[in-house]
Amino acid sequence: MIYLLLSILASVCNAMILKRGEMAGHDRLVVMGINYLVAASLATAVWVGTGHLWPDAVTLVLGVVGGFFFAIALFLWMGAIQAVGLATSTAALRLSVVLPIAVSIAFFGERPSLLQALGILLALTAVLLITLAGRARQIGSAGGAAVWLVAVFIGGGGSHVTLKLFTEWGPPEQREALLALIFISAGLMTWAVLLAGRRRLARRDVMNGSLFGVLNVTGNSFLLLGLHVVPGVLAFPLNNTGMLFLSGLLGVVVWRERPGRPGYLAIATAGAAIVLLAL
């Protein structure tokens, strides 16, 4: 469980970086591009240090496919923000945790206890409450909005499913290789878009992206370690809800946010979900 806690802390720190960047008007795409550059460099260095330089077929395929989902989830999320607003698009991204939960149950026979199942339900309820607390801005037709949200849901879920499949099928000693391949693959896609758009690399974006990259490697490394100890049907909702809970608290305490009744209820619901999932 300690691995999941460390993964949650790293993810919350990255959420705070994005929050600060949004308030300061940073270029989100540049930050993500630098993030993948730094993350790929660090993960590759660790991979080389392990001595396991030749990934097997499972690691190679899941690494490349995982990188695709990491990058495509980012692009879809950014597009959805413009189409349906930040709150709703982020909720769709967080709700994508349903996909790895479903895979864990359907294909790997994982079964939560009754209380843990209630915790999963509360975790999803907390995300929906966060959506109500936010002020989503919808542009265009309802059908177009639905397409964006479904795409974000599948993209975000695909990245988590990749990690779950590796814990079941991949050799544990190649965790570092998997992360390196994921970040290299995602980085190539992101930088192709950056270079095509000729985006300017501001110093503040480079600094934020570099810190984000270090925490990205750290958080995903701990999540992979946690998946070898905690079943995916519990690890994914616990990781997602823990991030939501701590981010919500920090938003209230540090950023002086006032999310209203749905927001406070979401934080309380997330806290209850964590307790049940940890039983």
Side-chain angles (χ1 to χ4, degrees):
M1 197 68 74
I2 185 64
Y3 294 132
L4 291 180
L5 175 60
L6 293 173
S7 177
I8 290 169
L9 291 176
S11 296
V12 169
C13 289
N14 269 349
M16 293 298 101
I17 291 174
L18 287 181
K19 175 68 175 180
R20 181 175 176 274
E22 290 293 328
M23 296 177 66
H26 292 186
D27 190 324
R28 194 184 299 116
L29 185 59
V30 172
V31 171
M32 288 299 102
I34 297 297
N35 146 65
Y36 285 132
L37 181 62
V38 171
S41 300
L42 289 176
T44 300
V46 175
W47 174 20
V48 172
T50 64
H52 301 287
L53 297 182
W54 301 107
D56 64 10
V58 171
T59 305
L60 180 61
V61 170
L62 290 178
V64 174
V65 172
F68 167 81
F69 276 115
F70 268 68
I72 205 68
L74 168 67
F75 298 144
L76 290 170
W77 175 64
M78 290 173 62
I81 288 174
Q82 300 300 318
V84 298
L86 179 62
T88 303
S89 56
T90 302
L93 190 62
R94 287 176 173 166
L95 279 172
S96 66
V97 74
V98 169
L99 285 182
I101 293 173
V103 168
S104 297
I105 294 173
F107 295 101
F108 301 110
E110 297 178 2
R111 295 290 185 271
S113 68
L114 182 60
L115 289 178
Q116 290 167 340
L118 179 58
I120 294 172
L121 181 60
L122 287 179
L124 300 178
T125 301
V127 175
L128 295 175
L129 287 170
I130 284 292
T131 306
L132 293 176
R135 294 180 178 178
R137 177 174 54 90
Q138 183 168 320
I139 301 175
S141 67
V147 170
W148 274 112
L149 295 177
V150 170
V152 170
F153 178 84
I154 294 174
S159 60
H160 292 307
V161 169
T162 300
L163 298 182
K164 175 58 183 175
L165 293 179
F166 178 81
T167 62
E168 296 292 337
W169 297 339
E173 66 272 11
Q174 291 189 2
R175 279 191 297 263
E176 294 79 9
L178 176 78
L179 288 179
L181 290 169
I182 284 176
F183 291 132
I184 290 171
S185 175
L188 289 174
M189 291 182 62
T190 305
W191 276 95
V193 175
L194 275 172
L195 294 175
R198 298 183 179 181
R199 306 290 275 265
R200 187 174 66 89
L201 303 183
R203 181 181 177 183
R204 63 183 187 178
D205 296 331
V206 172
M207 293 178 63
N208 272 3
S210 298
L211 181 56
F212 196 102
V214 173
L215 291 168
N216 204 359
V217 172
T218 304
N220 280 286
S221 295
F222 283 127
L223 178 56
L224 273 174
L225 289 170
L227 284 170
H228 280 282
V229 180
V230 180
V233 71
L234 299 179
F236 288 111
L238 187 58
N239 187 78
N240 192 64
T241 309
M243 179 182 171
L244 189 155
F245 177 72
L246 290 179
S247 296
L249 282 181
L250 287 173
V252 172
V253 175
V254 176
W255 304 106
R256 303 298 181 184
E257 294 178 347
R258 295 296 178 263
R261 186 175 299 174
Y264 290 120
L265 184 57
I267 295 173
T269 303
I274 292 171
V275 173
L276 292 175
L277 289 167
L279 292 177

